[in-house]
Amino acid sequence: MRRSANTDWVASLSPWPADGFGTERMRELLERLGNPQRAFDAVHVVGTKGKSTAARRIARTIGGAAYTSPHVSGWHERLDTDAAGFERAVQRVRPAAEELDATQFEVLTAAAFADFAARGVEAAAIEAGLGGRLDATNVIDARVVLLTNVALEHTDVLGETREEIAREKLAVAGPDATVVLPDTEFAHLVAHSEVGGAREAASVFLGRSVELADASLPGRLELRGGEVRDGAHTPDAVDWLLERLPEPHEYVVVASILTDKDAAGMLERLARAGRTLVATRSTNARALPAADLADLGRAWFDAVETIDDPHQALRRARTLGPRILVTGSLYLLADISRAE
């Protein structure tokens, strides 16, 4: 089925700003829309791994909506709505966004905020995109900020050390915000902090201890019989995934990895899950060519195959073993979801 006009328009936009990262254009866009971000309270979720699932579970716990990225099942997934709702949300912001030449992520963020306001959402969990300080989501005054974890990523933009990256991510926290941290390592970077995770963030937001509601998103530790799908995109994220794989660990690994990721570090760890790699390439422009990924993988895998098309790669993997692990990038999982 062909996508609708506004969805096609969003897909055609550049996700990267031509004039560098910053919040100035985002603030101007929201001003033209009546500042919908002021209509709801929020938990701001930053970190390297696990942001989307944490945001969705927090949203369900506090009785609100979640804004997440990227998506696997379709663009609507990001706005916690359906396809028709996504179309309406984008239409609300499109005229102003076109006038300002907004980026894809700015449009999506504005559409989420405007949609939440129109729906009467009173509480939301907002996942940051890249970093925090210069991210388009850093226009909300969140009472609670959750840092899921910190690993080396986007070092050309966020910094070369974990502390530099943490400082960029935690810059979203205002002086009165309570920041929930996974441990005390970066507590010196914020004014008010507690140690915990998504449950503690929801509890702080609500002002009482609560149990975290169940919620799931496609491609986030998604179990399908003998097949596991997860968008792990850093070596630390792969370690997290391997700890949660159903036993025994003997999988055919189907992987696509972006060029700005530590592909070698990820592949070395993925080889613990199985000795066969089917290297492929997602449709994201930053994905490594399948042949290059295969060349890297031969250092750790006994058997390596190269299949450019992700759907064909998965079909081939299913002939090689009963257990399949599809990982390396959420963009790979999105490609497979579309094909299915």
Side-chain angles (χ1 to χ4, degrees):
M1 181 180 294
R2 189 180 185 279
R3 295 180 305 198
S4 300
N6 290 317
T7 303
D8 284 337
W9 174 68
V10 167
S12 73
L13 297 174
S14 171
W16 304 104
D19 51 356
F21 291 97
T23 62
E24 293 81 4
R25 182 170 49 232
M26 186 67 196
R27 293 183 186 279
E28 173 62 24
L29 175 55
L30 292 173
E31 181 72 25
R32 297 189 185 193
L33 297 171
N35 287 307
Q37 78 280 8
R38 298 176 183 170
F40 52 87
D41 289 329
V43 176
H44 208 161
V45 182
V46 298
T48 300
K49 171 68 178 174
K51 297 191 297 295
S52 296
T53 299
R56 185 64 73 92
R57 296 190 72 183
I58 290 170
R60 295 295 179 268
T61 305
I62 64 178
Y67 174 53
T68 59
S69 63
H71 64 273
V72 172
S73 62
W75 291 95
H76 63 279
E77 180 187 304
R78 301 190 184 212
L79 273 60
D80 210 353
T81 186
D82 57 20
F86 180 79
E87 278 287 311
R88 291 191 297 271
V90 173
Q91 185 55 49
R92 287 189 186 96
V93 306
R94 182 170 178 174
E98 287 183 315
E99 290 177 2
L100 293 171
D101 196 23
T103 67
Q104 185 182 80
F105 192 69
E106 289 167 344
V107 169
L108 290 165
T109 304
F113 294 168
D115 187 54
F116 292 172
R119 286 158 53 185
V121 170
E122 297 182 354
I126 307 299
E127 177 185 349
L130 178 63
R133 181 173 63 91
L134 300 176
D135 188 68
T137 64
N138 192 21
V139 292
I140 57 174
D141 185 19
R143 292 193 286 110
V144 179
V145 174
L146 170 65
L147 175 70
T148 59
N149 46 59
V150 178
L152 293 176
E153 61 164 348
H154 300 293
T155 54
D156 56 329
V157 177
L158 302 181
E160 297 181 354
T161 67
R162 290 180 65 252
E163 173 142 347
E164 289 175 340
I165 293 172
R167 191 180 298 275
E168 284 291 305
K169 293 179 182 295
L170 291 173
V172 304
D176 298 323
T178 299
V179 181
V180 179
L181 303 168
D183 49 48
T184 60
E185 181 180 5
F186 300 120
H188 62 285
L189 297 178
V190 298
H192 312 285
S193 66
E194 294 189 12
V195 173
R199 184 179 72 83
E200 288 72 23
S203 296
V204 171
F205 183 86
L206 293 173
R208 54 186 170 84
S209 181
V210 294
E211 292 302 315
L212 199 62
D214 287 332
S216 62
L217 281 165
R220 282 77 166 183
L221 198 62
E222 186 179 0
L223 308 179
R224 299 187 175 201
E227 190 170 301
V228 180
R229 300 183 185 184
D230 185 81
H233 60 280
T234 68
D236 286 346
V238 173
D239 285 338
W240 180 93
L241 169 61
L242 294 180
E243 292 174 0
R244 290 159 177 80
L245 281 181
E247 294 286 353
H249 290 191
E250 192 53 51
Y251 291 81
V252 177
V253 178
V254 180
S256 174
I257 300 174
L258 301 185
T259 56
D260 58 353
K261 305 301 180 183
D262 181 4
M266 291 173 61
L267 290 169
E268 181 179 11
R269 288 162 171 80
L270 285 171
R272 300 177 201 158
R275 306 303 301 172
T276 301
L277 170 68
V278 180
T280 188
R281 181 179 189 176
S282 75
T283 54
N284 187 286
R286 293 182 292 130
L288 276 169
D292 293 351
L293 187 63
D295 287 342
L296 287 172
R298 290 188 177 94
W300 296 284
F301 289 86
D302 295 334
V304 178
E305 296 192 18
T306 305
I307 301 177
D308 289 324
D309 179 78
H311 187 54
Q312 295 299 323
L314 178 56
R315 289 182 61 185
R316 173 57 178 161
R318 288 169 175 161
T319 71
L320 298 175
R323 297 181 180 87
I324 314 297
L325 173 59
V326 188
T327 190
S329 171
L330 280 173
Y331 298 104
L332 168 62
L333 304 185
D335 290 339
I336 290 173
S337 178
R338 282 194 299 272
E340 292 174 340

